[in-house]
Amino acid sequence: MFDWGGIPAVRAALAARSRGPQRAPTKVPTKIRFDADALAALKTTGRGWQTRANDAMREWLKEHSPPDTGTHR
């Protein structure tokens, strides 16, 4: 028979776990608005959809960004 008495301890142990701060944050939180169908298509690809969206944006920027002249930020 399962011992239900240990459940609070397990929950407390799981709640205490955290990833911790990044040594050098590389991502910037932001808000972006997508068409509903585009967002649904991204999310149906499963875990990591935000990383894949970021990668797709980087690829697009390689082809569509003006050359960096160092005069703007």
Side-chain angles (χ1 to χ4, degrees), residues 5 9 11 19 25 38 43 45 51 53 57-58 62 67 71:
R11 283 189 182 152
R19 182 174 173 188
K43 286 185 171 185
T45 64
T51 299
M57 180 61 73
R58 285 183 173 278
K62 285 180 187 176
T71 59

Side-chain angles (χ1 to χ4, degrees), residues 14-73:
L14 290 174
R17 292 174 42 181
S18 67
R19 182 174 173 188
Q22 293 180 344
R23 283 183 242 154
T26 59
K27 305 289 182 179
V28 178
T30 188
K31 291 184 180 184
I32 187 169
R33 297 174 68 100
F34 288 100
D35 290 336
D37 58 334
L39 182 59
L42 285 167
K43 286 185 171 185
T44 59
T45 64
R47 285 185 60 149
W49 69 268
Q50 291 174 323
T51 299
R52 286 187 293 281
N54 187 70
D55 294 345
M57 180 61 73
R58 285 183 173 278
E59 285 300 313
W60 186 89
L61 287 169
K62 285 180 187 176
E63 298 294 322
H64 297 87
S65 291
D68 186 9
T69 61
T71 59
H72 64 280
R73 291 188 178 250

Side-chain angles (χ1 to χ4, degrees), residues 2-14:
F2 184 76
D3 177 17
W4 293 96
I7 296 292
V10 172
R11 283 189 182 152
L14 290 174

